[in-house]
Amino acid sequence: MATGCTPPECLEDGFPAISPDGRQLAFRRIFGNTTPTSTGIVIAGVSGADADVVTNVPWSTIDTSPSWSPNGTEVVFARVQYTANVPGSALYILVVATGDIRRLTPEGLAAS
């Protein structure tokens, strides 16, 4: 996947999902220079161009594994917590047109 991910802004892109119409990608990005600082979900054109970072959370939390809704208007993703007060993960829904995010499952599950 050629998204132009290069340090110091980006360490790695992965977990790509192609939209139902084949025009967009949703993927997980690890931000940082030599060590990870945060992760997020990115939506870009299918070529990887015109990337829009839609979530960006500290490295103690990882947003990963995006998947498109059948109509392409929403993306579900897992948010994994590595903090003592909220272990586990939850699923979140991102509305692509507005960027609104809502939690779908309770925190602390093994959701993915």
PDB file of all heavy atoms in Angstrom, residues 1-5 10 13-29 31 40-55 66 68 72 75 94 96-97:
ATOM      1  N   MET A   1       0.860  -1.167   0.000  1.00  0.00           N
ATOM      2  CA  MET A   1       0.000   0.000   0.000  1.00  0.00           C
ATOM      3  C   MET A   1       0.906   1.229   0.000  1.00  0.00           C
ATOM      4  O   MET A   1       1.642   1.460   0.954  1.00  0.00           O
ATOM      5  CB  MET A   1      -0.880  -0.047   1.247  1.00  0.00           C
ATOM      6  CG  MET A   1      -1.934   0.989   1.297  1.00  0.00           C
ATOM      7  SD  MET A   1      -3.135   0.721   2.620  1.00  0.00           S
ATOM      8  CE  MET A   1      -2.200   1.125   4.057  1.00  0.00           C
ATOM      9  N   ALA A   2       0.894   2.011  -1.055  1.00  0.00           N
ATOM     10  CA  ALA A   2       1.746   3.188  -1.195  1.00  0.00           C
ATOM     11  C   ALA A   2       0.973   4.435  -0.806  1.00  0.00           C
ATOM     12  O   ALA A   2       0.254   5.012  -1.602  1.00  0.00           O
ATOM     13  CB  ALA A   2       2.246   3.301  -2.624  1.00  0.00           C
ATOM     14  N   THR A   3       1.098   4.837   0.461  1.00  0.00           N
ATOM     15  CA  THR A   3       0.344   6.000   0.955  1.00  0.00           C
ATOM     16  C   THR A   3       1.239   7.202   1.209  1.00  0.00           C
ATOM     17  O   THR A   3       0.750   8.237   1.634  1.00  0.00           O
ATOM     18  CB  THR A   3      -0.379   5.642   2.260  1.00  0.00           C
ATOM     19  OG1 THR A   3       0.601   5.247   3.222  1.00  0.00           O
ATOM     20  CG2 THR A   3      -1.392   4.536   2.041  1.00  0.00           C
ATOM     21  N   GLY A   4       2.529   7.054   1.002  1.00  0.00           N
ATOM     22  CA  GLY A   4       3.441   8.154   1.284  1.00  0.00           C
ATOM     23  C   GLY A   4       3.798   8.253   2.752  1.00  0.00           C
ATOM     24  O   GLY A   4       4.291   9.271   3.216  1.00  0.00           O
ATOM     25  N   CYS A   5       3.586   7.191   3.508  1.00  0.00           N
ATOM     26  CA  CYS A   5       3.894   7.154   4.933  1.00  0.00           C
ATOM     27  C   CYS A   5       5.407   7.156   5.134  1.00  0.00           C
ATOM     28  O   CYS A   5       6.082   6.194   4.774  1.00  0.00           O
ATOM     29  CB  CYS A   5       3.276   5.895   5.549  1.00  0.00           C
ATOM     30  SG  CYS A   5       3.736   5.581   7.259  1.00  0.00           S
ATOM     31  N   CYS A  10       4.972   9.654  10.032  1.00  0.00           N
ATOM     32  CA  CYS A  10       4.321   8.360   9.933  1.00  0.00           C
ATOM     33  C   CYS A  10       5.349   7.234   9.975  1.00  0.00           C
ATOM     34  O   CYS A  10       6.363   7.297   9.293  1.00  0.00           O
ATOM     35  CB  CYS A  10       3.540   8.317   8.618  1.00  0.00           C
ATOM     36  SG  CYS A  10       2.735   6.756   8.289  1.00  0.00           S
ATOM     37  N   ASP A  13       1.641   2.205   7.881  1.00  0.00           N
ATOM     38  CA  ASP A  13       0.223   2.098   7.543  1.00  0.00           C
ATOM     39  C   ASP A  13      -0.123   0.618   7.394  1.00  0.00           C
ATOM     40  O   ASP A  13       0.693  -0.168   6.913  1.00  0.00           O
ATOM     41  CB  ASP A  13      -0.095   2.815   6.226  1.00  0.00           C
ATOM     42  CG  ASP A  13      -0.062   4.325   6.363  1.00  0.00           C
ATOM     43  OD1 ASP A  13      -0.198   4.825   7.491  1.00  0.00           O
ATOM     44  OD2 ASP A  13       0.111   5.001   5.335  1.00  0.00           O
ATOM     45  N   GLY A  14      -1.330   0.241   7.814  1.00  0.00           N
ATOM     46  CA  GLY A  14      -1.722  -1.151   7.697  1.00  0.00           C
ATOM     47  C   GLY A  14      -3.208  -1.336   7.857  1.00  0.00           C
ATOM     48  O   GLY A  14      -3.955  -0.393   8.068  1.00  0.00           O
ATOM     49  N   PHE A  15      -3.652  -2.573   7.774  1.00  0.00           N
ATOM     50  CA  PHE A  15      -5.048  -2.967   7.904  1.00  0.00           C
ATOM     51  C   PHE A  15      -5.952  -2.211   6.926  1.00  0.00           C
ATOM     52  O   PHE A  15      -6.982  -1.659   7.306  1.00  0.00           O
ATOM     53  CB  PHE A  15      -5.544  -2.778   9.340  1.00  0.00           C
ATOM     54  CG  PHE A  15      -4.837  -3.624  10.344  1.00  0.00           C
ATOM     55  CD1 PHE A  15      -3.733  -3.150  11.029  1.00  0.00           C
ATOM     56  CD2 PHE A  15      -5.277  -4.908  10.612  1.00  0.00           C
ATOM     57  CE1 PHE A  15      -3.066  -3.937  11.949  1.00  0.00           C
ATOM     58  CE2 PHE A  15      -4.612  -5.700  11.531  1.00  0.00           C
ATOM     59  CZ  PHE A  15      -3.501  -5.214  12.205  1.00  0.00           C
ATOM     60  N   PRO A  16      -5.610  -2.192   5.627  1.00  0.00           N
ATOM     61  CA  PRO A  16      -6.435  -1.447   4.671  1.00  0.00           C
ATOM     62  C   PRO A  16      -7.777  -2.123   4.407  1.00  0.00           C
ATOM     63  O   PRO A  16      -7.885  -3.342   4.413  1.00  0.00           O
ATOM     64  CB  PRO A  16      -5.579  -1.440   3.400  1.00  0.00           C
ATOM     65  CG  PRO A  16      -4.782  -2.700   3.505  1.00  0.00           C
ATOM     66  CD  PRO A  16      -4.490  -2.870   4.978  1.00  0.00           C
ATOM     67  N   ALA A  17      -8.786  -1.295   4.192  1.00  0.00           N
ATOM     68  CA  ALA A  17     -10.118  -1.760   3.807  1.00  0.00           C
ATOM     69  C   ALA A  17     -10.599  -0.871   2.666  1.00  0.00           C
ATOM     70  O   ALA A  17     -10.574   0.351   2.775  1.00  0.00           O
ATOM     71  CB  ALA A  17     -11.081  -1.669   4.985  1.00  0.00           C
ATOM     72  N   ILE A  18     -11.029  -1.483   1.583  1.00  0.00           N
ATOM     73  CA  ILE A  18     -11.505  -0.743   0.411  1.00  0.00           C
ATOM     74  C   ILE A  18     -13.004  -0.513   0.539  1.00  0.00           C
ATOM     75  O   ILE A  18     -13.753  -1.422   0.892  1.00  0.00           O
ATOM     76  CB  ILE A  18     -11.192  -1.512  -0.882  1.00  0.00           C
ATOM     77  CG1 ILE A  18      -9.677  -1.675  -1.031  1.00  0.00           C
ATOM     78  CG2 ILE A  18     -11.771  -0.806  -2.101  1.00  0.00           C
ATOM     79  CD1 ILE A  18      -9.261  -2.532  -2.200  1.00  0.00           C
ATOM     80  N   SER A  19     -13.441   0.712   0.241  1.00  0.00           N
ATOM     81  CA  SER A  19     -14.869   1.051   0.317  1.00  0.00           C
ATOM     82  C   SER A  19     -15.658   0.222  -0.698  1.00  0.00           C
ATOM     83  O   SER A  19     -15.099  -0.245  -1.702  1.00  0.00           O
ATOM     84  CB  SER A  19     -15.074   2.545   0.057  1.00  0.00           C
ATOM     85  OG  SER A  19     -14.671   2.879  -1.262  1.00  0.00           O
ATOM     86  N   PRO A  20     -16.952   0.050  -0.459  1.00  0.00           N
ATOM     87  CA  PRO A  20     -17.782  -0.754  -1.376  1.00  0.00           C
ATOM     88  C   PRO A  20     -17.759  -0.262  -2.823  1.00  0.00           C
ATOM     89  O   PRO A  20     -17.852  -1.067  -3.743  1.00  0.00           O
ATOM     90  CB  PRO A  20     -19.183  -0.651  -0.781  1.00  0.00           C
ATOM     91  CG  PRO A  20     -18.967  -0.387   0.656  1.00  0.00           C
ATOM     92  CD  PRO A  20     -17.721   0.465   0.712  1.00  0.00           C
ATOM     93  N   ASP A  21     -17.604   1.048  -3.034  1.00  0.00           N
ATOM     94  CA  ASP A  21     -17.569   1.557  -4.415  1.00  0.00           C
ATOM     95  C   ASP A  21     -16.167   1.496  -5.022  1.00  0.00           C
ATOM     96  O   ASP A  21     -15.966   1.867  -6.184  1.00  0.00           O
ATOM     97  CB  ASP A  21     -18.131   2.976  -4.497  1.00  0.00           C
ATOM     98  CG  ASP A  21     -17.290   4.012  -3.762  1.00  0.00           C
ATOM     99  OD1 ASP A  21     -16.189   3.669  -3.253  1.00  0.00           O
ATOM    100  OD2 ASP A  21     -17.728   5.173  -3.671  1.00  0.00           O
ATOM    101  N   GLY A  22     -15.175   1.053  -4.242  1.00  0.00           N
ATOM    102  CA  GLY A  22     -13.809   0.903  -4.736  1.00  0.00           C
ATOM    103  C   GLY A  22     -13.032   2.185  -4.876  1.00  0.00           C
ATOM    104  O   GLY A  22     -11.941   2.196  -5.450  1.00  0.00           O
ATOM    105  N   ARG A  23     -13.532   3.290  -4.332  1.00  0.00           N
ATOM    106  CA  ARG A  23     -12.886   4.594  -4.509  1.00  0.00           C
ATOM    107  C   ARG A  23     -12.033   5.044  -3.330  1.00  0.00           C
ATOM    108  O   ARG A  23     -11.216   5.949  -3.483  1.00  0.00           O
ATOM    109  CB  ARG A  23     -13.933   5.667  -4.791  1.00  0.00           C
ATOM    110  CG  ARG A  23     -14.651   5.449  -6.092  1.00  0.00           C
ATOM    111  CD  ARG A  23     -15.650   6.538  -6.320  1.00  0.00           C
ATOM    112  NE  ARG A  23     -16.369   6.280  -7.557  1.00  0.00           N
ATOM    113  CZ  ARG A  23     -17.264   7.096  -8.051  1.00  0.00           C
ATOM    114  NH1 ARG A  23     -17.548   8.218  -7.445  1.00  0.00           N
ATOM    115  NH2 ARG A  23     -17.889   6.784  -9.171  1.00  0.00           N
ATOM    116  N   GLN A  24     -12.252   4.463  -2.149  1.00  0.00           N
ATOM    117  CA  GLN A  24     -11.547   4.927  -0.956  1.00  0.00           C
ATOM    118  C   GLN A  24     -10.955   3.772  -0.169  1.00  0.00           C
ATOM    119  O   GLN A  24     -11.433   2.637  -0.233  1.00  0.00           O
ATOM    120  CB  GLN A  24     -12.488   5.715  -0.041  1.00  0.00           C
ATOM    121  CG  GLN A  24     -12.972   7.018  -0.636  1.00  0.00           C
ATOM    122  CD  GLN A  24     -13.862   7.744   0.350  1.00  0.00           C
ATOM    123  OE1 GLN A  24     -14.936   7.260   0.678  1.00  0.00           O
ATOM    124  NE2 GLN A  24     -13.413   8.894   0.806  1.00  0.00           N
ATOM    125  N   LEU A  25      -9.920   4.105   0.592  1.00  0.00           N
ATOM    126  CA  LEU A  25      -9.319   3.194   1.548  1.00  0.00           C
ATOM    127  C   LEU A  25      -9.512   3.752   2.942  1.00  0.00           C
ATOM    128  O   LEU A  25      -9.428   4.966   3.145  1.00  0.00           O
ATOM    129  CB  LEU A  25      -7.803   3.086   1.335  1.00  0.00           C
ATOM    130  CG  LEU A  25      -7.272   2.321   0.158  1.00  0.00           C
ATOM    131  CD1 LEU A  25      -5.758   2.467   0.103  1.00  0.00           C
ATOM    132  CD2 LEU A  25      -7.638   0.860   0.274  1.00  0.00           C
ATOM    133  N   ALA A  26      -9.744   2.875   3.896  1.00  0.00           N
ATOM    134  CA  ALA A  26      -9.640   3.226   5.315  1.00  0.00           C
ATOM    135  C   ALA A  26      -8.517   2.344   5.842  1.00  0.00           C
ATOM    136  O   ALA A  26      -8.439   1.161   5.498  1.00  0.00           O
ATOM    137  CB  ALA A  26     -10.948   2.943   6.050  1.00  0.00           C
ATOM    138  N   PHE A  27      -7.618   2.909   6.635  1.00  0.00           N
ATOM    139  CA  PHE A  27      -6.516   2.123   7.167  1.00  0.00           C
ATOM    140  C   PHE A  27      -6.025   2.693   8.487  1.00  0.00           C
ATOM    141  O   PHE A  27      -6.343   3.825   8.850  1.00  0.00           O
ATOM    142  CB  PHE A  27      -5.368   2.002   6.161  1.00  0.00           C
ATOM    143  CG  PHE A  27      -4.845   3.309   5.618  1.00  0.00           C
ATOM    144  CD1 PHE A  27      -3.803   3.971   6.244  1.00  0.00           C
ATOM    145  CD2 PHE A  27      -5.399   3.867   4.478  1.00  0.00           C
ATOM    146  CE1 PHE A  27      -3.314   5.167   5.732  1.00  0.00           C
ATOM    147  CE2 PHE A  27      -4.921   5.055   3.959  1.00  0.00           C
ATOM    148  CZ  PHE A  27      -3.874   5.711   4.590  1.00  0.00           C
ATOM    149  N   ARG A  28      -5.248   1.861   9.197  1.00  0.00           N
ATOM    150  CA  ARG A  28      -4.659   2.280  10.469  1.00  0.00           C
ATOM    151  C   ARG A  28      -3.282   2.878  10.199  1.00  0.00           C
ATOM    152  O   ARG A  28      -2.519   2.344   9.413  1.00  0.00           O
ATOM    153  CB  ARG A  28      -4.492   1.051  11.380  1.00  0.00           C
ATOM    154  CG  ARG A  28      -4.058   1.357  12.789  1.00  0.00           C
ATOM    155  CD  ARG A  28      -2.654   0.983  13.242  1.00  0.00           C
ATOM    156  NE  ARG A  28      -1.697   0.536  12.283  1.00  0.00           N
ATOM    157  CZ  ARG A  28      -1.132  -0.660  12.300  1.00  0.00           C
ATOM    158  NH1 ARG A  28      -1.470  -1.551  13.192  1.00  0.00           N
ATOM    159  NH2 ARG A  28      -0.223  -0.970  11.391  1.00  0.00           N
ATOM    160  N   ARG A  29      -2.966   3.991  10.851  1.00  0.00           N
ATOM    161  CA  ARG A  29      -1.651   4.628  10.724  1.00  0.00           C
ATOM    162  C   ARG A  29      -1.006   4.707  12.104  1.00  0.00           C
ATOM    163  O   ARG A  29      -1.669   5.037  13.091  1.00  0.00           O
ATOM    164  CB  ARG A  29      -1.780   6.014  10.126  1.00  0.00           C
ATOM    165  CG  ARG A  29      -0.451   6.783  10.075  1.00  0.00           C
ATOM    166  CD  ARG A  29      -0.525   8.005   9.204  1.00  0.00           C
ATOM    167  NE  ARG A  29      -0.464   7.556   7.806  1.00  0.00           N
ATOM    168  CZ  ARG A  29      -0.608   8.373   6.768  1.00  0.00           C
ATOM    169  NH1 ARG A  29      -0.843   9.661   6.954  1.00  0.00           N
ATOM    170  NH2 ARG A  29      -0.526   7.905   5.531  1.00  0.00           N
ATOM    171  N   PHE A  31       1.732   6.858  13.990  1.00  0.00           N
ATOM    172  CA  PHE A  31       2.441   8.127  13.885  1.00  0.00           C
ATOM    173  C   PHE A  31       3.701   8.092  14.752  1.00  0.00           C
ATOM    174  O   PHE A  31       3.736   7.418  15.779  1.00  0.00           O
ATOM    175  CB  PHE A  31       1.549   9.284  14.370  1.00  0.00           C
ATOM    176  CG  PHE A  31       0.303   9.460  13.556  1.00  0.00           C
ATOM    177  CD1 PHE A  31      -0.880   8.853  13.942  1.00  0.00           C
ATOM    178  CD2 PHE A  31       0.313  10.216  12.398  1.00  0.00           C
ATOM    179  CE1 PHE A  31      -2.035   9.002  13.201  1.00  0.00           C
ATOM    180  CE2 PHE A  31      -0.839  10.373  11.649  1.00  0.00           C
ATOM    181  CZ  PHE A  31      -2.020   9.772  12.052  1.00  0.00           C
ATOM    182  N   GLY A  40      -4.029   6.172  14.458  1.00  0.00           N
ATOM    183  CA  GLY A  40      -5.286   6.737  14.005  1.00  0.00           C
ATOM    184  C   GLY A  40      -5.836   5.999  12.809  1.00  0.00           C
ATOM    185  O   GLY A  40      -5.181   5.140  12.227  1.00  0.00           O
ATOM    186  N   ILE A  41      -7.052   6.342  12.472  1.00  0.00           N
ATOM    187  CA  ILE A  41      -7.694   5.833  11.272  1.00  0.00           C
ATOM    188  C   ILE A  41      -7.600   6.934  10.216  1.00  0.00           C
ATOM    189  O   ILE A  41      -7.871   8.105  10.497  1.00  0.00           O
ATOM    190  CB  ILE A  41      -9.168   5.447  11.541  1.00  0.00           C
ATOM    191  CG1 ILE A  41      -9.259   4.372  12.622  1.00  0.00           C
ATOM    192  CG2 ILE A  41      -9.858   5.013  10.243  1.00  0.00           C
ATOM    193  CD1 ILE A  41      -8.592   3.055  12.298  1.00  0.00           C
ATOM    194  N   VAL A  42      -7.226   6.529   9.014  1.00  0.00           N
ATOM    195  CA  VAL A  42      -7.049   7.452   7.894  1.00  0.00           C
ATOM    196  C   VAL A  42      -7.963   6.991   6.756  1.00  0.00           C
ATOM    197  O   VAL A  42      -8.104   5.799   6.517  1.00  0.00           O
ATOM    198  CB  VAL A  42      -5.577   7.465   7.423  1.00  0.00           C
ATOM    199  CG1 VAL A  42      -5.393   8.350   6.209  1.00  0.00           C
ATOM    200  CG2 VAL A  42      -4.658   7.905   8.559  1.00  0.00           C
ATOM    201  N   ILE A  43      -8.566   7.951   6.084  1.00  0.00           N
ATOM    202  CA  ILE A  43      -9.338   7.661   4.871  1.00  0.00           C
ATOM    203  C   ILE A  43      -8.656   8.388   3.723  1.00  0.00           C
ATOM    204  O   ILE A  43      -8.308   9.566   3.839  1.00  0.00           O
ATOM    205  CB  ILE A  43     -10.806   8.092   5.021  1.00  0.00           C
ATOM    206  CG1 ILE A  43     -11.464   7.232   6.103  1.00  0.00           C
ATOM    207  CG2 ILE A  43     -11.548   7.955   3.688  1.00  0.00           C
ATOM    208  CD1 ILE A  43     -12.903   7.525   6.363  1.00  0.00           C
ATOM    209  N   ALA A  44      -8.438   7.657   2.625  1.00  0.00           N
ATOM    210  CA  ALA A  44      -7.728   8.217   1.475  1.00  0.00           C
ATOM    211  C   ALA A  44      -8.359   7.696   0.202  1.00  0.00           C
ATOM    212  O   ALA A  44      -9.153   6.754   0.224  1.00  0.00           O
ATOM    213  CB  ALA A  44      -6.253   7.817   1.537  1.00  0.00           C
ATOM    214  N   GLY A  45      -7.963   8.293  -0.915  1.00  0.00           N
ATOM    215  CA  GLY A  45      -8.344   7.751  -2.202  1.00  0.00           C
ATOM    216  C   GLY A  45      -7.736   6.363  -2.344  1.00  0.00           C
ATOM    217  O   GLY A  45      -6.772   6.028  -1.657  1.00  0.00           O
ATOM    218  N   VAL A  46      -8.269   5.549  -3.219  1.00  0.00           N
ATOM    219  CA  VAL A  46      -7.811   4.164  -3.343  1.00  0.00           C
ATOM    220  C   VAL A  46      -6.326   4.100  -3.722  1.00  0.00           C
ATOM    221  O   VAL A  46      -5.649   3.125  -3.411  1.00  0.00           O
ATOM    222  CB  VAL A  46      -8.699   3.361  -4.314  1.00  0.00           C
ATOM    223  CG1 VAL A  46      -8.435   3.733  -5.761  1.00  0.00           C
ATOM    224  CG2 VAL A  46      -8.531   1.881  -4.088  1.00  0.00           C
ATOM    225  N   SER A  47      -5.780   5.139  -4.306  1.00  0.00           N
ATOM    226  CA  SER A  47      -4.354   5.176  -4.634  1.00  0.00           C
ATOM    227  C   SER A  47      -3.506   5.495  -3.405  1.00  0.00           C
ATOM    228  O   SER A  47      -2.286   5.422  -3.450  1.00  0.00           O
ATOM    229  CB  SER A  47      -4.088   6.225  -5.706  1.00  0.00           C
ATOM    230  OG  SER A  47      -4.304   7.523  -5.165  1.00  0.00           O
ATOM    231  N   GLY A  48      -4.146   5.877  -2.295  1.00  0.00           N
ATOM    232  CA  GLY A  48      -3.428   6.292  -1.094  1.00  0.00           C
ATOM    233  C   GLY A  48      -3.252   7.798  -1.016  1.00  0.00           C
ATOM    234  O   GLY A  48      -2.787   8.329  -0.016  1.00  0.00           O
ATOM    235  N   ALA A  49      -3.640   8.513  -2.075  1.00  0.00           N
ATOM    236  CA  ALA A  49      -3.511   9.972  -2.110  1.00  0.00           C
ATOM    237  C   ALA A  49      -4.660  10.637  -1.354  1.00  0.00           C
ATOM    238  O   ALA A  49      -5.672  10.015  -1.065  1.00  0.00           O
ATOM    239  CB  ALA A  49      -3.494  10.450  -3.557  1.00  0.00           C
ATOM    240  N   ASP A  50      -4.488  11.920  -1.059  1.00  0.00           N
ATOM    241  CA  ASP A  50      -5.515  12.728  -0.397  1.00  0.00           C
ATOM    242  C   ASP A  50      -5.935  12.133   0.937  1.00  0.00           C
ATOM    243  O   ASP A  50      -7.121  12.041   1.258  1.00  0.00           O
ATOM    244  CB  ASP A  50      -6.747  12.911  -1.300  1.00  0.00           C
ATOM    245  CG  ASP A  50      -6.389  13.556  -2.627  1.00  0.00           C
ATOM    246  OD1 ASP A  50      -5.565  14.485  -2.622  1.00  0.00           O
ATOM    247  OD2 ASP A  50      -6.923  13.120  -3.665  1.00  0.00           O
ATOM    248  N   ALA A  51      -4.953  11.726   1.737  1.00  0.00           N
ATOM    249  CA  ALA A  51      -5.224  11.102   3.038  1.00  0.00           C
ATOM    250  C   ALA A  51      -5.787  12.113   4.026  1.00  0.00           C
ATOM    251  O   ALA A  51      -5.303  13.227   4.134  1.00  0.00           O
ATOM    252  CB  ALA A  51      -3.952  10.476   3.592  1.00  0.00           C
ATOM    253  N   ASP A  52      -6.831  11.702   4.729  1.00  0.00           N
ATOM    254  CA  ASP A  52      -7.479  12.516   5.757  1.00  0.00           C
ATOM    255  C   ASP A  52      -7.439  11.729   7.069  1.00  0.00           C
ATOM    256  O   ASP A  52      -8.058  10.664   7.166  1.00  0.00           O
ATOM    257  CB  ASP A  52      -8.918  12.816   5.348  1.00  0.00           C
ATOM    258  CG  ASP A  52      -9.640  13.720   6.325  1.00  0.00           C
ATOM    259  OD1 ASP A  52      -8.978  14.491   7.046  1.00  0.00           O
ATOM    260  OD2 ASP A  52     -10.883  13.656   6.366  1.00  0.00           O
ATOM    261  N   VAL A  53      -6.697  12.232   8.048  1.00  0.00           N
ATOM    262  CA  VAL A  53      -6.622  11.580   9.353  1.00  0.00           C
ATOM    263  C   VAL A  53      -7.926  11.863  10.095  1.00  0.00           C
ATOM    264  O   VAL A  53      -8.248  13.008  10.366  1.00  0.00           O
ATOM    265  CB  VAL A  53      -5.417  12.104  10.167  1.00  0.00           C
ATOM    266  CG1 VAL A  53      -5.394  11.482  11.551  1.00  0.00           C
ATOM    267  CG2 VAL A  53      -4.116  11.843   9.421  1.00  0.00           C
ATOM    268  N   VAL A  54      -8.691  10.816  10.394  1.00  0.00           N
ATOM    269  CA  VAL A  54      -9.991  11.015  11.033  1.00  0.00           C
ATOM    270  C   VAL A  54      -9.968  10.716  12.527  1.00  0.00           C
ATOM    271  O   VAL A  54     -10.844  11.175  13.250  1.00  0.00           O
ATOM    272  CB  VAL A  54     -11.122  10.228  10.316  1.00  0.00           C
ATOM    273  CG1 VAL A  54     -11.376  10.818   8.943  1.00  0.00           C
ATOM    274  CG2 VAL A  54     -10.807   8.759  10.214  1.00  0.00           C
ATOM    275  N   THR A  55      -8.994   9.926  12.993  1.00  0.00           N
ATOM    276  CA  THR A  55      -8.781   9.765  14.437  1.00  0.00           C
ATOM    277  C   THR A  55      -7.283   9.820  14.685  1.00  0.00           C
ATOM    278  O   THR A  55      -6.480   9.478  13.811  1.00  0.00           O
ATOM    279  CB  THR A  55      -9.333   8.433  15.006  1.00  0.00           C
ATOM    280  OG1 THR A  55      -8.489   7.344  14.598  1.00  0.00           O
ATOM    281  CG2 THR A  55     -10.773   8.186  14.581  1.00  0.00           C
ATOM    282  N   PRO A  66     -10.062  -1.054  10.536  1.00  0.00           N
ATOM    283  CA  PRO A  66     -11.284  -0.455   9.998  1.00  0.00           C
ATOM    284  C   PRO A  66     -11.978  -1.369   8.998  1.00  0.00           C
ATOM    285  O   PRO A  66     -11.339  -2.192   8.333  1.00  0.00           O
ATOM    286  CB  PRO A  66     -10.767   0.813   9.303  1.00  0.00           C
ATOM    287  CG  PRO A  66      -9.369   0.464   8.910  1.00  0.00           C
ATOM    288  CD  PRO A  66      -8.845  -0.427  10.010  1.00  0.00           C
ATOM    289  N   TRP A  68     -15.601  -1.052   6.255  1.00  0.00           N
ATOM    290  CA  TRP A  68     -16.663  -0.196   5.721  1.00  0.00           C
ATOM    291  C   TRP A  68     -18.045  -0.810   5.917  1.00  0.00           C
ATOM    292  O   TRP A  68     -18.202  -2.025   5.853  1.00  0.00           O
ATOM    293  CB  TRP A  68     -16.451   0.035   4.224  1.00  0.00           C
ATOM    294  CG  TRP A  68     -15.267   0.879   3.924  1.00  0.00           C
ATOM    295  CD1 TRP A  68     -13.979   0.440   3.771  1.00  0.00           C
ATOM    296  CD2 TRP A  68     -15.232   2.292   3.750  1.00  0.00           C
ATOM    297  NE1 TRP A  68     -13.152   1.508   3.515  1.00  0.00           N
ATOM    298  CE2 TRP A  68     -13.895   2.660   3.490  1.00  0.00           C
ATOM    299  CE3 TRP A  68     -16.200   3.285   3.782  1.00  0.00           C
ATOM    300  CZ2 TRP A  68     -13.507   3.970   3.261  1.00  0.00           C
ATOM    301  CZ3 TRP A  68     -15.813   4.590   3.556  1.00  0.00           C
ATOM    302  CH2 TRP A  68     -14.487   4.933   3.304  1.00  0.00           C
ATOM    303  N   GLY A  72     -21.109   2.224   2.413  1.00  0.00           N
ATOM    304  CA  GLY A  72     -19.939   3.093   2.324  1.00  0.00           C
ATOM    305  C   GLY A  72     -20.043   4.406   3.070  1.00  0.00           C
ATOM    306  O   GLY A  72     -19.202   5.281   2.905  1.00  0.00           O
ATOM    307  N   VAL A  75     -17.583   3.718   8.808  1.00  0.00           N
ATOM    308  CA  VAL A  75     -16.456   2.812   9.012  1.00  0.00           C
ATOM    309  C   VAL A  75     -16.487   2.394  10.468  1.00  0.00           C
ATOM    310  O   VAL A  75     -16.573   3.235  11.370  1.00  0.00           O
ATOM    311  CB  VAL A  75     -15.114   3.497   8.682  1.00  0.00           C
ATOM    312  CG1 VAL A  75     -13.934   2.628   9.091  1.00  0.00           C
ATOM    313  CG2 VAL A  75     -15.043   3.856   7.199  1.00  0.00           C
ATOM    314  N   LEU A  94     -17.535   5.428  12.719  1.00  0.00           N
ATOM    315  CA  LEU A  94     -17.176   6.727  12.179  1.00  0.00           C
ATOM    316  C   LEU A  94     -18.115   7.035  11.023  1.00  0.00           C
ATOM    317  O   LEU A  94     -18.242   6.223  10.099  1.00  0.00           O
ATOM    318  CB  LEU A  94     -15.734   6.700  11.673  1.00  0.00           C
ATOM    319  CG  LEU A  94     -15.336   7.796  10.696  1.00  0.00           C
ATOM    320  CD1 LEU A  94     -15.188   9.120  11.421  1.00  0.00           C
ATOM    321  CD2 LEU A  94     -14.072   7.421   9.962  1.00  0.00           C
ATOM    322  N   VAL A  96     -18.466   8.844   7.819  1.00  0.00           N
ATOM    323  CA  VAL A  96     -17.464   9.374   6.902  1.00  0.00           C
ATOM    324  C   VAL A  96     -17.745  10.824   6.506  1.00  0.00           C
ATOM    325  O   VAL A  96     -16.843  11.653   6.496  1.00  0.00           O
ATOM    326  CB  VAL A  96     -17.345   8.469   5.651  1.00  0.00           C
ATOM    327  CG1 VAL A  96     -16.390   9.060   4.628  1.00  0.00           C
ATOM    328  CG2 VAL A  96     -16.907   7.070   6.057  1.00  0.00           C
ATOM    329  N   ALA A  97     -18.989  11.170   6.204  1.00  0.00           N
ATOM    330  CA  ALA A  97     -19.327  12.515   5.719  1.00  0.00           C
ATOM    331  C   ALA A  97     -19.091  13.602   6.766  1.00  0.00           C
ATOM    332  O   ALA A  97     -18.707  14.718   6.427  1.00  0.00           O
ATOM    333  CB  ALA A  97     -20.770  12.555   5.248  1.00  0.00           C
TER     334      ALA A  97
END
